[in-house]
Amino acid sequence: QVQLVESGGGSVQPGGSLRLSCSASGNIFRLNTMRWYRQAPGKERELVASITSGSSTDYSDSVKGRFTISRDNAKNTVYLQMNSLKPEDTAVYYCNVDYTNLWGTSTNGWGQGTTVTVSS
């Protein structure tokens, strides 16, 4: 069993910044690709950013140039630095991780979500 715990959400004015964190714990042998998704009210969940085990990154067009994904393998943590926030960034943000457990099984897990609200 692997637990993914997000933190760092909150309310911010347009143009502001937030930094999300997602820490993994449990029966982890290796963390592979780590992702951030978001789901706005009434909309489908969408992929925002991803980072591979080799630290290659990818972003959705809507956040490119404003958001930065990073990871600290020693802390089993993935981050999402969000700058120049817009009201349309308002959503619940979820981390999603591909990992290999202690028994060699590769699987995927989700965090519980953290809410980001961008409003004046």
Side-chain angles (χ1 to χ4, degrees), residues 10-11 14 38 44 48 55 59 69 76 85 87 94 96 101 111-112:
S11 295
R38 68 185 180 187
E44 293 187 355
V48 173
S55 294
Y59 299 91
I69 189 171
N76 284 346
L85 282 161
Y94 299 90
N96 173 269
N101 64 23
Q112 82 287 354

Side-chain angles (χ1 to χ4, degrees), residues 81-93:
Q81 178 66 43
M82 306 185 295
N83 298 330
S84 302
L85 282 161
K86 304 175 181 180
E88 51 263 45
D89 295 318
T90 295
V92 179
Y93 285 72

Side-chain angles (χ1 to χ4, degrees), residues 44-113:
E44 293 187 355
R45 193 172 295 190
E46 63 169 343
L47 178 62
V48 173
S50 63
I51 184 167
T52 67
S53 56
S55 294
S56 294
T57 60
D58 197 16
Y59 299 91
S60 68
D61 288 343
S62 61
V63 307
K64 201 170 293 184
R66 299 189 297 122
F67 291 10
T68 302
I69 189 171
S70 61
R71 62 192 289 167
D72 185 334
N73 292 326
K75 295 181 178 180
N76 284 346
T77 299
V78 61
Y79 304 99
L80 187 67
Q81 178 66 43
M82 306 185 295
N83 298 330
S84 302
L85 282 161
K86 304 175 181 180
E88 51 263 45
D89 295 318
T90 295
V92 179
Y93 285 72
Y94 299 90
C95 71
N96 173 269
V97 176
D98 294 335
Y99 64 91
T100 304
N101 64 23
L102 297 178
W103 299 273
T105 301
S106 295
T107 187
N108 180 272
W110 290 90
Q112 82 287 354

